[in-house]
Amino acid sequence: MDNNNQGRVKRVLISEDDIRNAVQSAGEQLAQIYEGKPVLLVSVLKGAFIFLGDLCRCMNIPCRIDFMEAKSYLGNSTESCGQVEITMDLKHDISKYHVIIVEDIIDTGRTLSQVIKILKERNPLSLRIITLLDKPARRTVKLEADVSLFTIPDYFVVGYGLDYNGYHRNLPYIAEFEE
Ligand code: IMP
Ligand code: MG
């Protein structure tokens, strides 16, 4: 049974090399900006786990890491359902940190706008958003990342942390997926 839909991974959209180079320079820039400050990298699971892992290793400064999980998708649907549920919260008191939210992709923007609202109420020293991918064509709420590594057309993509129905997160590149 082809329950991982392997045959629907169409073509490489962003190569391993291109990702590595972009992550490296983003990490170096962040390290410069946050040098000497208490930094907390916040990853919104699960899609951003690989990006966070690579990004933090390109930041040559002390920093702490925390995770939260927000669900915006139902089953194997490729449409954001509008409702965002925080299924796992941060362990740090973010009022003591400059927070960098590390996201995999901003699509409609609904998930992240909810997450930002919740985190701002906790008064972080500052809040910045870095996203690996941006799909501006599908935005339904007004939201822009401070740093966006790649802008992509309205394709559903998998790989480098991003999934379809839980699969393909382990692809080392970003690929277009046939919906
Ligand atoms: P938004 O709330 O519509 O911005 O959706 C945000 C979340 O949906 C992302 O953090 C991803 O987990 C997921 N998502 C959106 N577009 C894609 C895609 O093309 N591939 C895989 N996951 C996606
Ligand atoms: Mg995500």
Side-chain angles (χ1 to χ4, degrees):
M1 197 174 82
D2 181 27
N3 70 351
N4 62 15
N5 296 282
Q6 191 68 47
R8 292 164 67 186
V9 178
K10 283 209 290 200
R11 67 188 171 101
V12 176
L13 205 62
I14 308 170
S15 73
E16 258 186 283
D17 270 358
D18 288 350
I19 295 172
R20 191 182 309 111
N21 291 334
V23 172
Q24 177 76 39
S25 65
E28 285 169 7
Q29 277 175 29
L30 288 177
Q32 275 182 11
I33 296 169
Y34 289 94
E35 172 121 58
K37 294 179 178 159
V39 187
L40 184 68
L41 296 177
V42 166
S43 169
V44 184
L45 291 170
K46 300 182 179 98
F49 81 108
I50 293 180
F51 180 35
L52 174 84
D54 285 346
L55 183 70
C56 72
R57 283 179 292 177
C58 297
M59 292 175 64
N60 192 19
I61 55 167
C63 63
R64 293 187 129 180
I65 287 161
D66 208 344
F67 297 99
M68 66 189 292
E69 187 173 34
K71 280 225 173 76
S72 64
Y73 275 64
L74 291 176
N76 64 3
S77 162
T78 55
E79 274 291 318
S80 186
C81 63
Q83 275 267 313
V84 173
E85 188 194 349
I86 304 290
T87 48
M88 191 186 89
D89 208 341
L90 301 172
K91 304 291 184 288
H92 285 77
D93 170 6
I94 65 169
S95 68
K96 298 181 168 60
Y97 295 94
H98 293 273
V99 172
I100 307 174
I101 300 180
V102 181
E103 253 293 22
D104 53 353
I105 187 166
I106 308 180
D107 186 32
T108 65
R110 289 188 193 119
T111 313
L112 196 54
S113 66
Q114 289 298 312
V115 167
I116 289 167
K117 191 166 158 259
I118 293 164
L119 296 190
K120 275 191 174 161
E121 283 165 5
R122 300 179 189 175
N123 297 310
L125 295 176
S126 68
L127 188 67
R128 240 200 188 82
I129 303 149
I130 177 165
T131 186
L132 177 73
L133 304 174
D134 189 9
K135 237 196 258 181
R138 286 185 30 102
R139 203 77 94 251
T140 59
V141 300
K142 198 170 169 289
L143 176 70
E144 260 186 77
D146 299 288
V147 183
S148 162
L149 273 52
F150 300 97
T151 299
I152 61 167
D154 185 9
Y155 298 150
F156 193 81
V157 293
V158 294
Y160 199 73
L162 290 108
D163 74 305
Y164 174 77
N165 200 19
Y167 285 97
H168 309 305
R169 295 191 196 277
N170 56 326
L171 292 174
Y173 45 79
I174 300 286
E176 188 184 345
F177 187 84
E178 199 174 278
E179 286 187 63

